[in-house]
Amino acid sequence: MDRSYTIRKKLGSNQIIWGVFTLLLAISSCKSAKDKLPEERAQAILNEMSLEEKAGQMTQLSIEMILQGKDQFNLTKPHALDTVRLRKVLVEMGVGSILNVPGNTFTLAQWKEVSEALHAYRMQTRLQIPVLYGIDAIHGANYTVGATLYPQQINLAASFNTDMIADMATNTANDVRASGLAWNFSPVLDVARNPRWPRFWETFGEDPMVASCLGSSMVKAYQMPSKNGLPGVAACLKHYVGYGDARSGMDRTPAYIPERQLREIFLPPFAQAIEAGAQTIMINSGEVNGEPVHASKFLLQTILREELKFKGITVTDWEDIKNLYERHKIVSTYKEAVAVAINAGIDMAMVPLDTLFTHYLIENVKEGNISMTRINQSVLRILTLKFKLGLFEHSPANSSKYDSIGSDQSKELSLALATQSLVLLKNSNQALPLSPTEKILVTGANAHYINALNGGWTHTWQGRDTTYNSEVPTCLEALQNIHGMDKVVYLPGNTYDTNLSDEALLAAAKNIASVVLFLGEDTYTEKPGDILDLELSAAQQHLIKVYKQAGKKVIVVLLEGRPRTFANTESLCDAIIFAGLPGDAGGTAIANVLCGLSNPSGKLPFTYPRYSSFHLTYDCKYTEVLNKDFKPLGFNPLFEFGSGLSYTGYVYSNFTCDKESYTLSDTIKMNVTISNIGNMEGLHTALFYSKDEVASITPSVKKLRAFRKIFLRPGASEIVSIELPVQHLAFVGLSNKWGVEPGSFKLSVDTLSQNITITNQ
Ligand code: BGC
C-alpha cells in the first residue's frame, strides 16, 4: 500500500458540509471585520481613479500581448518580454490582469522575470495598482517546470478522498504563488452529465453532491494562507453555469436546462463553493435556454448575486464578450456586446488578444450605455481582491518565501491520489493482480506515452508536447521497474487507429499468457476534443478480440478523459481498470495495482455507458430503468456509478437508522458495520443513497447523500456513522424551490436498506 503517505489519516468524507438549505441560509451571514479593511482600502483608491484607469482594471489580456514578436500570434522564440508593449499595456492602458502562458511552460526563473517586469511597470503608474495574474493550474502548477502534477479532477473524484484533495490544492496554491501568480482558474464545478463533452475529465463527474463537497474543499485549501501565514491563491469556479450539459455533447454548444434541473443539479456545486468563500467565478462560454450566459441578468445577477450572495469577481471566459456578436449573434457589434455583458454583471473581460474591449468600455460609459455605478461596483471588487491577496504589499521577491516546488512529499501525495483514483471495474477469475512470475506482453497506444497519463492543461493547453516530464515513467517503464524487465515484453506500433498485422500481434505474444492493453484516448481539451462517436476506436477493440481469440488473458487499462464505450469487446476482457488521467505518478500507480503492491479503491464518479448513443445518469427516473417488459431498453450501463472492485472483500452488516420516523428538522443517524473479509488491507468508500418513494416531481431511483472512505486491515471491522439532516433529502419542486416532501424514504448502503418516514411535525 501507499505507506509513505499518511493515508490512514487522509480519508474522504462529505460529512463536513453538504446541504443546499444550510448553505443558502449561511451564505447571507456576516463578513469579519478583517475582511472590511481591504474593501475600505479599495474604496479609497477607487475614489481617485479616472474612467480610463477603471476600464484598465476590468481588462485581462493574455501574456502574448506583452511579448516580443511581429504580433501576438507570431511571437519571437525564445519568448522575451517586449518593453514597448509592456509600457502600452500596463502604463498607458493600466491593464489590471494578465493570464496564461504563450504555448509553453515557464521555469521559475522565467516566471520571476515576468513578475519583476509587471512590478516594475506597475510602479510607473499613477496609482501603482498591482497586476493580478491568472493561470489554469488545474492539476498542480501545470505551467511551471518542475512542479508536481497530480491526477485530473475526474480521478480526484474517483478517489473520494476529500482530505488528500485538499492537500493537493494546498500544494498547488504554494506552487502557483512560488511562480509569482495569485489567481488559479480552478476548480471546474460543471456537473458532467454528458460523457461526450470534451471537458468531462476536468469535472468531478456526474453527481452534484460529490462536486459540491470536493469542489468546496479545494476552494478552501487554495485560498487558505500557507502554514507560514503567506496568502494563498484566489480560486475561480468554472464555468458558471450549465456548461457541462450541451445537448450536442460538443464544446460550447447550446444547453437546454429547465430551471428545476438548473437548481437541483448544476447550481449546488457553485452555491457550496461560494459559501466556502470562493473569490472569483468564470462564466460559461455557452448559452443556456437560448441566452448566452455572459448576457444573462437572470443567471449573473438574480441567481449569482441576489440568491447565492456571491461577492467576488465574475470574469468572462476566453473572448466571450466578442463572442456575443461574433458567435452567438445577439448583437451586431463588439461595442454593443461590451455593454450587454457589463450590464449583465461581468466584472472583468478575458479579452484577451486585443485592446478594443477597453476602448469600447470607455466609449460606452461616455455615451451613457453603461453607468459609472456599474463600473465602480466591478472595480471595487477587483481592487478588494488585490488587497485580500496581499498584492499591494507584494514584491516579486515574496515568491521565494513559499516552499520549494516538486517536493518529495508532493510526489508522494500525487502517487497516493493516483493510486486511490484507479477503478478496478472487472476482475474475472482473479485475473489481477499479476502473478510475480508471469511474463506479460504490453501494447496499446497509451502504453509508453506520458501525455496519456496527464491529459490536457499539461505544460501546454492540449497537453501534447512530448518534451516535458521525461523523468516520469510511462506505464510500460513503471511495469518494467516493478514487474521486472525480463518479464515485460513490449510491442510498439499500435496506435489509436491502426494496428500491426494480426500475425505480428500474435507473434509478439508467443509463449505469453497475459496481455496488458493500454487503451483509451489521446489528450485534448475544449473544442479540439469534440467527437462524433463515443465508441472506443475499432483498432483498439480489435486488439482485445485478437488476443482473446488466441486464448490470452486480456487485461485492459483505460487511459481516457471520458468513458469510451466498448460493449461488444468488454465481455472479452478478463480485467479492466479505468485509469482516467492519473497524472505524473499514474504509470507507477497503475503498475503497483497491476502487480498487487497497491489495492485498488477508486469508485466511478460517473455512469459508464454501454451504448455510444444511449446514456442515463445513475439518478435517472423509474420510467428509465430496466424493466421486464422492455428489457434491453432501459438503464443498463456497462458499469454503474460507484462501481469499483478491490483485491480484498468487504461485507456490510447491521445497517441501522436511529429512528423509524423523523420530522423535517431532524437529523438521521445511520450506522453500518463494514468488515474486510479478505487477506489484503485496503481503503474503501461507502456510498449512502436515498430513495424518495413517492414525490410530486417524479423521484430519482436513487440519490447519493453521503460518502465515507475508511481503511481496513484484513479481518478488521469498522462501524461507519453518518449524520444526514432530513433537509438533505430535499428536491426542487414545481415552484422551483427546494423542499422535503413528507412520506416514505428508503436509505441504502451497498445491498442493505432501511425504510423511514418523514413527517411534517
Ligand atoms: C477555458 C477556461 C480557461 C481559460 C483560460 C478557456 O478557453 O474555457 O477553462 O480557464 O481558457 O485559459
Side-chain angles (χ1 to χ4, degrees):
M1 300 275 326
D2 329 293
R3 289 173 196 283
S4 43
Y5 196 76
T6 53
I7 45 172
R8 285 164 193 77
K9 278 182 275 156
K10 298 285 170 190
L11 297 171
S13 163
N14 70 324
Q15 283 297 291
I16 341 152
I17 22 183
W18 170 254
V20 180
F21 283 96
T22 37
L23 75 88
L24 287 176
L25 290 174
I27 293 165
S28 56
S29 62
C30 41
K31 287 249 154 204
S32 71
K34 192 172 117 264
D35 285 345
K36 278 199 186 122
L37 196 57
E39 219 165 278
E40 282 165 10
R41 295 172 76 185
Q43 185 65 54
I45 296 197
L46 182 67
N47 294 343
E48 301 290 308
M49 288 172 80
S50 66
L51 169 60
E52 287 69 18
E53 284 164 333
K54 291 174 186 173
Q57 286 303 306
M58 292 171 69
T59 305
Q60 182 182 61
L61 297 183
S62 192
I63 186 166
E64 289 88 335
M65 297 289 282
I66 51 171
L67 293 178
Q68 288 176 21
K70 191 156 139 273
D71 57 42
Q72 57 269 35
F73 306 103
N74 299 286
L75 298 174
T76 309
K77 288 210 181 129
H79 300 305
L81 288 159
D82 183 315
T83 50
V84 175
R85 289 189 177 142
L86 274 164
R87 166 155 283 282
K88 169 159 188 212
V89 165
L90 298 177
V91 183
E92 288 165 27
M93 288 177 66
V95 163
S97 181
I98 303 284
L99 86 151
N100 217 7
V101 283
N104 61 285
T105 294
F106 281 168
T107 60
L108 278 179
Q110 286 169 313
W111 277 125
K112 185 159 177 269
E113 205 183 311
V114 172
S115 305
E116 280 170 355
L118 296 182
H119 183 72
Y121 282 86
R122 153 212 170 178
M123 296 312 275
Q124 294 173 33
T125 63
R126 193 172 72 91
L127 298 168
Q128 302 188 339
I129 301 173
V131 173
L132 175 57
Y133 206 115
I135 200 79
D136 295 277
I138 69 162
H139 64 129
N142 38 253
Y143 283 144
T144 300
V145 173
T148 298
L149 296 189
Y150 299 87
Q152 297 282 4
Q153 264 186 229
I154 198 68
N155 285 65
L156 299 182
S159 82
F160 279 92
N161 195 324
T162 27
D163 289 356
M164 277 174 31
I165 292 168
D167 287 352
M168 165 197 155
T170 303
N171 289 353
T172 303
N174 177 80
D175 294 359
V176 168
R177 276 290 189 161
S179 312
L181 319 168
W183 189 8
N184 190 4
F185 301 141
S186 170
V188 168
L189 296 184
D190 299 306
V191 185
R193 310 285 284 188
N194 188 335
R196 283 168 296 160
W197 187 45
R199 307 193 75 170
F200 188 91
W201 53 272
E202 291 184 59
T203 74
F204 290 118
E206 76 186 35
D207 184 69
M209 190 273 278
V210 173
S212 302
C213 293
L214 303 186
S216 56
S217 114
M218 263 179 114
V219 166
K220 283 187 200 153
Y222 277 146
Q223 298 191 165
M224 199 173 285
S226 76
K227 55 184 184 314
N228 306 326
L230 299 165
V233 295
C236 186
L237 316 180
K238 302 197 300 195
H239 306 79
Y240 178 82
V241 58
Y243 186 27
D245 200 36
R247 180 180 279 180
S248 71
M250 302 294 194
D251 189 40
R252 291 175 161 87
T253 57
Y256 299 91
I257 308 175
E259 190 175 330
R260 190 168 334 111
Q261 266 78 49
L262 190 77
R263 290 180 178 281
E264 193 165 309
I265 309 283
F266 298 97
L267 281 172
F270 290 97
Q272 193 158 322
I274 289 168
E275 207 254 339
Q279 290 167 315
T280 76
I281 196 161
M282 191 184 292
I283 308 308
N284 165 13
S285 298
E287 60 176 75
V288 175
N289 304 333
E291 193 182 32
V293 183
H294 283 79
S296 173
K297 286 189 177 167
F298 174 64
L299 294 172
L300 298 184
Q301 287 179 33
T302 313
I303 294 197
L304 186 61
R305 300 287 181 189
E306 290 163 29
E307 288 186 29
L308 304 185
K309 309 277 184 251
F310 179 62
K311 302 267 187 296
I313 297 173
T314 54
V315 62
T316 74
D317 202 340
W318 191 271
E319 285 189 334
D320 276 334
I321 293 189
K322 207 195 235 179
N323 284 335
L324 290 178
Y325 89 98
E326 275 193 348
R327 196 190 292 167
H328 294 294
K329 311 279 181 202
I330 60 159
V331 284
S332 48
T333 65
Y334 195 169
K335 184 169 160 183
E336 283 172 279
V338 171
V340 165
I342 301 302
N343 286 329
I346 293 297
D347 295 321
M348 183 184 282
M350 187 186 290
V351 180
L353 293 172
D354 65 63
T355 54
L356 287 172
F357 163 78
T358 328
H359 172 75
Y360 290 139
L361 183 60
I362 295 167
E363 270 192 11
N364 271 311
V365 177
K366 285 187 176 157
E367 291 166 18
N369 304 326
I370 301 173
S371 72
M372 192 54 102
T373 314
R374 176 67 205 85
I375 297 286
N376 287 344
Q377 222 175 20
S378 293
V379 179
L380 186 65
R381 289 175 188 143
I382 293 165
L383 296 178
T384 304
L385 180 63
K386 290 185 177 184
F387 276 112
K388 283 186 177 166
L389 290 170
L391 298 185
F392 280 86
E393 290 76 31
H394 184 83
S395 90
N398 288 3
S399 309
S400 58
K401 295 185 185 154
Y402 287 82
D403 288 346
S404 50
I405 63 170
S407 67
D408 288 347
Q409 176 270 347
S410 66
K411 287 185 180 145
E412 283 172 17
L413 173 61
S414 175
L415 177 59
L417 266 170
T419 306
Q420 292 190 31
S421 76
L422 302 177
V423 187
L424 180 62
L425 291 172
K426 184 175 181 185
N427 197 12
S428 301
N429 304 317
Q430 297 185 321
L432 288 176
L434 298 168
S435 133
T437 52
E438 84 187 285
K439 201 168 185 180
I440 55 171
L441 175 72
V442 169
T443 190
N446 288 337
H448 191 35
Y449 181 37
I450 197 71
N451 297 16
L453 295 169
N454 276 307
W457 301 111
T458 302
H459 301 297
T460 62
W461 178 45
Q462 294 297 314
R464 290 208 176 172
D465 195 316
T466 48
T467 56
Y468 300 97
N469 291 15
S470 48
E471 78 291 355
V472 170
T474 61
C475 295
L476 170 69
E477 289 163 343
L479 268 172
Q480 288 169 335
N481 293 340
I482 291 164
H483 195 56
M485 267 313 223
D486 54 329
K487 281 174 265 138
V488 178
V489 175
Y490 177 50
L491 179 64
N494 296 312
T495 71
Y496 301 104
D497 298 313
T498 56
N499 289 327
L500 302 170
S501 67
D502 287 1
E503 293 69 36
L505 295 177
L506 292 172
K510 197 159 171 254
N511 302 325
I512 299 178
S514 299
V515 181
V516 184
L517 302 175
F518 288 90
L519 311 181
E521 299 184 308
D522 202 344
T523 76
Y524 54 83
T525 187
E526 302 185 52
K527 265 279 165 226
D530 280 349
I531 45 171
L532 298 168
D533 190 348
L534 194 59
E535 185 78 2
L536 187 68
S537 69
Q540 296 190 89
Q541 295 196 61
H542 184 71
L543 292 177
I544 299 175
K545 284 187 207 150
V546 168
Y547 286 118
K548 193 63 201 176
Q549 275 159 14
K552 308 290 174 190
K553 179 165 90 177
V554 177
I555 294 154
V556 166
V557 178
L558 294 164
L559 286 157
E560 56 186 9
R562 61 196 144 196
R564 303 300 292 255
T565 52
F566 61 119
N568 293 332
T569 47
E570 178 269 337
S571 55
L572 306 178
C573 304
D574 295 275
I576 301 170
I577 294 175
F578 172 78
L581 298 167
D584 267 358
T588 304
I590 291 167
N592 279 338
V593 163
L594 289 171
C595 298
L597 302 183
S598 301
N599 192 354
S601 66
K603 297 270 180 199
L604 274 191
F606 57 86
T607 307
Y608 205 115
R610 183 176 296 275
Y611 309 104
S612 60
S613 54
F614 179 61
H615 178 62
L616 292 168
T617 49
Y618 84 93
D619 50 357
C620 58
K621 302 295 182 87
Y622 283 93
T623 46
E624 293 173 310
V625 297
L626 190 66
N627 71 44
K628 63 180 171 32
D629 300 325
F630 304 102
K631 209 160 177 37
L633 300 178
F635 181 67
N636 180 22
L638 204 52
F639 302 105
E640 291 207 20
F641 177 91
S643 298
L645 304 167
S646 163
Y647 292 152
T648 193
Y650 300 102
V651 167
Y652 286 64
S653 59
N654 299 331
F655 179 44
T656 58
C657 296
D658 61 332
K659 294 198 279 183
E660 282 173 13
S661 176
Y662 298 86
T663 66
L664 294 175
S665 54
D666 277 346
T667 291
I668 306 161
K669 296 188 175 106
M670 298 182 267
N671 280 327
V672 70
T673 305
I674 306 176
S675 310
N676 181 347
I677 55 155
N679 46 22
M680 193 170 181
E681 65 181 34
L683 289 154
H684 177 71
T685 301
L687 302 170
F688 294 80
Y689 295 93
S690 76
K691 177 194 268 196
D692 196 342
E693 301 283 11
V694 176
S696 58
I697 296 292
T698 57
S700 292
V701 292
K702 59 177 182 175
K703 286 257 187 197
L704 185 67
R705 298 302 185 189
F707 60 84
R708 179 68 60 77
K709 190 159 196 175
I710 59 168
F711 171 76
L712 285 176
R713 292 210 165 76
S717 294
E718 184 172 327
I719 298 175
V720 173
S721 301
I722 297 286
E723 298 205 349
L724 183 72
V726 168
Q727 285 300 323
H728 291 193
L729 302 176
F731 63 88
V732 177
L734 275 176
S735 59
N736 288 330
K737 301 239 173 350
W738 284 93
V740 180
E741 264 178 18
S744 302
F745 287 77
K746 191 180 277 251
L747 300 172
S748 63
V749 59
D750 194 52
T751 56
L752 306 178
S753 63
Q754 283 289 330
N755 295 314
I756 58 160
T757 307
I758 307 294
T759 62
N760 261 324
Q761 316 295 327

